[in-house]
């Protein structure tokens, strides 16, 4: 419990809005870890599930640590790494004991406080102190009830939203279709639908830059639902680049986009037009392996004392994400 005694020090390091920053090209990974990631695919900084041993994954995660303050450890998670999974699967949770030991925490095993999903990259907040973890989780839960955003994602979208800023509201449910759990929108949900698992979801978006028919968008989920942001952007007819699940719901005829019926649309590899493939310097087969361009870039944490303003944690973009921005002429300040 020694880590719990420096709780004030942990949060004090982020006072006055100080953010965690790293060299953008490094994306939070050391040289050895970058080589391990790069040699496994065409997209630098991408983790391919099933290609790492436990020891290699621990090395990658240790190199992905962007900050340590008291009991808190912050990682910049590579895309494709699941946080949880089935017994026997290699996940972030499954290697936390080894990661804790490699970071010199001894018996103080890390636990997950907040994390991006499997297909997204970005911030993972860990704590070796149960009391600290509990306090932070209560802060996140209270912020969610008050509709105050605590997480900001960066996304590149295939298509440009009609408005530069706004909110996306949709009732969503999970359906098991052809052996896969998929998010399905529900029109005008009834009270019975809500009782049976349909959830009213809400996200805020802001377009940061546009170019080549794509957009760099900041997304702030105000509710929590699996794949909420991907589903929301597909409903806006602007699927996230590298979304090989929900992008198939967007059809195009004579340059006009429209939503296809969910019941007749199965997940498939995202199809990009020739002009966009050219800007990205990708072949169609390479584009079929394009990683999801959704990155948990910023987390807001409570201040050190109750009246202190929230502070921020920041995670640099993955190398492949930065490369895409450069190819498309999108600039992120």
């Amino acid at each position: 419990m020694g880590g719990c005694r420096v709780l004030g020090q942990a949060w004090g390091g982020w006072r006055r809005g100080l953010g965690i920053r790293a060299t953008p090209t490094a994306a939070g990974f050391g040289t050895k870890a970058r080589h391990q990631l790069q040699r496994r695919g065409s997209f630098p900084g991408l983790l391919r599930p099933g290609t790492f041993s436990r020891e290699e994954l621990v090395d990658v995660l240790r190199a992905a640590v962007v900050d340590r303050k008291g009991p808190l450890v912050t990682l910049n998670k590579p895309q494709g790494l699941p946080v949880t999974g089935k017994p026997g699967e290699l996940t972030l949770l499954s290697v936390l004991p080894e990661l804790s030991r490699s970071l010199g925490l001894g018996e103080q095993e890390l636990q997950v406080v907040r994390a991006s999903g499997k297909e997204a990259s970005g911030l993972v907040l860990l704590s070796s102190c149960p009391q600290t973890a509990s306090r932070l989780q209560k802060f996140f839960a209270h912020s969610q009830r008050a509709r105050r955003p605590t997480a900001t994602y960066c996304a590149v979208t295939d298509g440009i939203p009609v408005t530069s800023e706004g909110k996306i509201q949709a009732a969503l449910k999970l359906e098991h279709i052809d052996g896969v759990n998929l998010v399905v929108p529900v029109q005008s949900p009834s009270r019975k639908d809500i009782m049976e698992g349909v959830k009213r979801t809400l996200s805020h978006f802001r377009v940061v830059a546009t170019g080549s028919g794509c957009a760099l968008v900041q997304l702030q989920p105000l509710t929590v639902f699996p794949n909420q942001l991907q589903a929301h952007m597909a409903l806006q007819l602007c699927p996230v680049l590298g979304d090989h699940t929900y992008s198939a719901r967007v059809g195009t005829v004579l340059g006009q986009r429209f939503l296809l019926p969910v019941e007749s649309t199965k997940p498939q590899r995202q199809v990009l037009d020739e002009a966009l493939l050219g800007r990205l310097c990708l072949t169609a087969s390479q584009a079929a392996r394009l990683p999801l361009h959704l990155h948990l870039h910023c987390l807001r944490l409570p201040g050190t004392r109750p009246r202190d303003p929230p502070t921020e944690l920041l995670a640099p973009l993955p190398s492949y994400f930065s490369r895409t921005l450069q190819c498309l002429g999108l600039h992120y300040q």
Side-chain angles (χ1 to χ4, degrees), residues 64-299:
V65 172
V66 289
D67 199 77
R68 292 181 66 176
K69 289 290 192 303
L72 299 180
V73 176
T74 308
L75 305 178
N76 190 7
K77 184 183 80 69
Q79 193 269 353
L81 175 64
V83 177
T84 61
K86 298 177 183 178
E89 289 184 348
L90 197 57
T91 65
L92 171 65
L93 203 60
S94 72
V95 298
L96 279 185
E98 292 101 315
L99 180 62
S100 301
R101 289 193 294 271
S102 73
L103 294 175
L105 295 175
E107 299 301 315
Q108 296 176 311
E109 188 171 315
L110 292 165
Q111 65 183 93
V112 177
V113 179
R114 189 73 181 266
S116 51
K118 173 185 176 181
E119 297 304 325
S121 58
L123 286 166
V124 173
L125 182 61
L126 307 171
S127 176
S128 61
C129 172
Q131 290 92 330
T132 302
S134 177
R135 182 179 172 185
L136 286 170
Q137 286 163 347
K138 288 177 181 177
F139 167 77
F140 290 133
H142 182 267
S143 297
Q144 182 185 336
R145 287 193 297 269
R147 297 295 169 92
R148 287 195 298 267
T150 55
T152 300
Y153 288 76
C154 292
V156 177
T157 61
D158 176 19
I160 301 173
V162 175
T163 59
S164 61
E165 188 170 0
K167 291 183 178 179
I168 307 168
Q169 301 183 66
L172 303 176
K173 67 176 179 178
L174 275 177
E175 270 194 17
H176 197 68
I177 303 173
D178 295 333
V180 181
N181 286 325
L182 295 175
V183 176
V184 175
V186 178
Q187 298 292 334
S188 305
S190 65
R191 183 184 297 271
K192 181 183 178 183
D193 289 331
I194 300 299
M195 295 291 291
E196 292 178 351
V198 175
K199 183 171 182 178
R200 292 186 174 92
T201 61
L202 176 65
S203 299
H204 180 266
F205 73 91
R206 183 173 72 88
V207 176
V208 177
T210 62
S212 304
C214 295
L216 174 62
V217 183
Q218 281 187 341
L219 295 166
Q220 293 180 318
L222 298 173
T223 52
V224 178
F225 198 82
N227 298 331
Q228 174 177 315
L229 297 178
Q230 294 100 294
H232 278 183
M233 293 316 296
L235 289 171
Q236 296 295 298
L237 305 179
C238 299
V240 178
L241 196 64
D243 182 353
H244 303 295
T245 301
Y246 301 102
S247 62
R249 296 177 180 177
V250 180
T252 305
V253 173
L254 299 176
Q256 298 298 311
R257 296 189 174 200
F258 60 94
L259 285 176
L260 293 166
V262 172
E263 57 274 11
S264 62
T265 307
K266 293 184 178 181
Q268 64 180 29
R269 294 296 182 184
Q270 189 174 35
V271 178
L272 305 178
D273 63 38
E274 291 296 328
L276 183 53
L277 288 174
R279 290 299 301 267
L280 294 173
C281 301
L282 297 176
T283 64
S285 61
Q286 289 173 327
R289 302 192 303 274
L290 193 68
L292 185 71
H293 283 56
L294 182 65
H295 179 75
L296 179 49
H297 172 64
C298 177
L299 274 179

